Amino acid sequence: MIEIENLTKRYGTQTAVADVSFRCETGTVTGFLGPNGAGKSTTMRILCGLTPATGGRALIDGTPYRNLPNPGRAVGVLLDASAQHAGRTGREVLTLGTMVLGLPRERVTQVLDLVGLDKKAADKRVGNYSLGMRQRLGLAHALLGNPSTLVLDEPANGLDPEGIFWMRGLLREFADRGGTVLLSSHLLHEIEAVADHLVMIGNGRIAADGSKQELLAGAGTLVRALEPEPLADALRRAGVTITPTADGAFLADAEALVIGRAAAAIGAVLTELRAADGAGLEALFLQLTATASTSAPAGAINPSMEVAR
């Protein structure tokens, strides 16, 4: 289990994370979502003992990461797949890991097989790896100690569709065996496919925290029109809050009847009108993070700053 309690991180007068609290239960995958600069990576770095918190605490099975007797055996971490030594081979990177963790060398072959890196890839220098191969090696390193918890920041970057499908199955199986996964990703459809629980953060504050079913059930109504702008204006005049989606539709916080009447009043032609359901995560993400941006903590870090990513 992961517990984040009232976590705050300030850099001088700038606030990266402000009073953040959430839990990742055992046997679940928690999707940690937010735009660049929202505080995701800062929170995960604090959790993994890489950055000290200004206030609050982050616990793994009731213990701070730095107090775990052999943390690599309890927690698998992948925060930056490009951090591996470029001059070593993949096999050498993992072999050094077994030496540090006190594991048998046979474990290297086991995790290489698990992540789909064959002998040719394992004996190649990491500097010659593609980004997708680095991600697989990073996952192998995270799994090396057979941990009960995984903390992964954008692990699908560089993976092709087949690789993303493979990773989804790996994480789902890990959680179903009783593991705990905290997964940050900008690939919303993949998060929706694998996560049990969703935590959304914007400008250092939690914007939403709940099960996938709970959050998406209230995602609103999806509407699409032949001429979207006049409809958008009509809905706003009717007091309806709308959020544009990436494919040109709107997510509206009103019932279909209200939207239909507003469209009829201006003669708008609707091409789609339904409960948001499956389209809900992207629209909910845009809606909640937009709301969070209007209530940013004083001195909040600019979203473009890498330190608060």
mmCIF file of all heavy atoms in Angstrom, residues 18 21 73 187 192 195-196 201 207 234 242 255:
data_model
loop_
_atom_site.group_PDB
_atom_site.id
_atom_site.type_symbol
_atom_site.label_atom_id
_atom_site.label_comp_id
_atom_site.label_asym_id
_atom_site.label_seq_id
_atom_site.Cartn_x
_atom_site.Cartn_y
_atom_site.Cartn_z
ATOM 1 N N ALA A 18 0.995 20.919 -3.079
ATOM 2 C CA ALA A 18 0.322 21.609 -1.982
ATOM 3 C C ALA A 18 -0.688 20.696 -1.291
ATOM 4 O O ALA A 18 -1.763 20.444 -1.830
ATOM 5 C CB ALA A 18 -0.374 22.873 -2.493
ATOM 6 N N SER A 21 -2.924 14.440 -0.730
ATOM 7 C CA SER A 21 -3.195 13.197 0.005
ATOM 8 C C SER A 21 -3.941 12.222 -0.898
ATOM 9 O O SER A 21 -4.902 12.610 -1.563
ATOM 10 C CB SER A 21 -4.045 13.462 1.255
ATOM 11 O OG SER A 21 -3.381 14.283 2.183
ATOM 12 N N ARG A 73 14.120 -4.431 -2.872
ATOM 13 C CA ARG A 73 13.399 -5.701 -2.751
ATOM 14 C C ARG A 73 11.922 -5.476 -2.447
ATOM 15 O O ARG A 73 11.110 -6.396 -2.578
ATOM 16 C CB ARG A 73 14.027 -6.557 -1.638
ATOM 17 C CG ARG A 73 15.490 -6.885 -1.840
ATOM 18 C CD ARG A 73 15.703 -7.917 -2.918
ATOM 19 N NE ARG A 73 15.252 -9.237 -2.518
ATOM 20 C CZ ARG A 73 16.019 -10.151 -1.941
ATOM 21 N NH1 ARG A 73 17.304 -9.864 -1.667
ATOM 22 N NH2 ARG A 73 15.547 -11.337 -1.633
ATOM 23 N N LEU A 187 -0.836 8.858 -21.528
ATOM 24 C CA LEU A 187 -1.653 8.063 -22.448
ATOM 25 C C LEU A 187 -2.958 7.691 -21.740
ATOM 26 O O LEU A 187 -3.068 6.644 -21.114
ATOM 27 C CB LEU A 187 -0.888 6.815 -22.886
ATOM 28 C CG LEU A 187 0.439 7.068 -23.614
ATOM 29 C CD1 LEU A 187 1.157 5.762 -23.889
ATOM 30 C CD2 LEU A 187 0.199 7.843 -24.908
ATOM 31 N N GLU A 192 -6.958 4.312 -18.699
ATOM 32 C CA GLU A 192 -8.347 3.885 -18.554
ATOM 33 C C GLU A 192 -8.469 2.377 -18.692
ATOM 34 O O GLU A 192 -9.277 1.734 -18.023
ATOM 35 C CB GLU A 192 -9.224 4.587 -19.591
ATOM 36 C CG GLU A 192 -10.712 4.312 -19.416
ATOM 37 C CD GLU A 192 -11.566 5.180 -20.317
ATOM 38 O OE1 GLU A 192 -11.014 5.954 -21.115
ATOM 39 O OE2 GLU A 192 -12.803 5.090 -20.207
ATOM 40 N N ALA A 195 -6.192 0.870 -15.197
ATOM 41 C CA ALA A 195 -6.290 1.371 -13.817
ATOM 42 C C ALA A 195 -7.597 0.978 -13.140
ATOM 43 O O ALA A 195 -8.650 0.895 -13.774
ATOM 44 C CB ALA A 195 -6.133 2.884 -13.802
ATOM 45 N N ASP A 196 -7.509 0.741 -11.832
ATOM 46 C CA ASP A 196 -8.691 0.535 -10.997
ATOM 47 C C ASP A 196 -9.116 1.852 -10.351
ATOM 48 O O ASP A 196 -10.294 2.088 -10.098
ATOM 49 C CB ASP A 196 -8.384 -0.466 -9.870
ATOM 50 C CG ASP A 196 -7.801 -1.758 -10.383
ATOM 51 O OD1 ASP A 196 -8.538 -2.513 -11.019
ATOM 52 O OD2 ASP A 196 -6.595 -2.001 -10.164
ATOM 53 N N ILE A 201 -4.234 15.386 -10.674
ATOM 54 C CA ILE A 201 -3.588 16.498 -9.999
ATOM 55 C C ILE A 201 -3.427 17.650 -10.967
ATOM 56 O O ILE A 201 -3.145 17.440 -12.152
ATOM 57 C CB ILE A 201 -2.229 16.059 -9.406
ATOM 58 C CG1 ILE A 201 -1.605 17.155 -8.552
ATOM 59 C CG2 ILE A 201 -1.267 15.609 -10.495
ATOM 60 C CD1 ILE A 201 -0.381 16.699 -7.765
ATOM 61 N N ALA A 207 -7.194 17.171 -7.923
ATOM 62 C CA ALA A 207 -8.425 17.619 -8.560
ATOM 63 C C ALA A 207 -9.514 16.559 -8.491
ATOM 64 O O ALA A 207 -10.709 16.878 -8.507
ATOM 65 C CB ALA A 207 -8.153 17.982 -10.016
ATOM 66 N N ALA A 234 -24.497 28.900 -27.296
ATOM 67 C CA ALA A 234 -25.859 28.705 -26.778
ATOM 68 C C ALA A 234 -25.832 27.984 -25.442
ATOM 69 O O ALA A 234 -26.597 28.322 -24.527
ATOM 70 C CB ALA A 234 -26.694 27.927 -27.792
ATOM 71 N N ILE A 242 -19.057 23.698 -20.378
ATOM 72 C CA ILE A 242 -18.626 22.742 -21.403
ATOM 73 C C ILE A 242 -17.106 22.673 -21.448
ATOM 74 O O ILE A 242 -16.406 23.650 -21.161
ATOM 75 C CB ILE A 242 -19.182 23.102 -22.802
ATOM 76 C CG1 ILE A 242 -18.679 24.472 -23.242
ATOM 77 C CG2 ILE A 242 -20.689 23.036 -22.822
ATOM 78 C CD1 ILE A 242 -19.028 24.814 -24.677
ATOM 79 N N GLU A 255 -27.966 17.532 -18.470
ATOM 80 C CA GLU A 255 -28.667 16.398 -19.056
ATOM 81 C C GLU A 255 -28.896 16.618 -20.552
ATOM 82 O O GLU A 255 -28.887 17.749 -21.040
ATOM 83 C CB GLU A 255 -30.006 16.189 -18.352
ATOM 84 C CG GLU A 255 -29.872 15.806 -16.887
ATOM 85 C CD GLU A 255 -31.226 15.603 -16.233
ATOM 86 O OE1 GLU A 255 -32.254 15.852 -16.911
ATOM 87 O OE2 GLU A 255 -31.262 15.195 -15.061
#
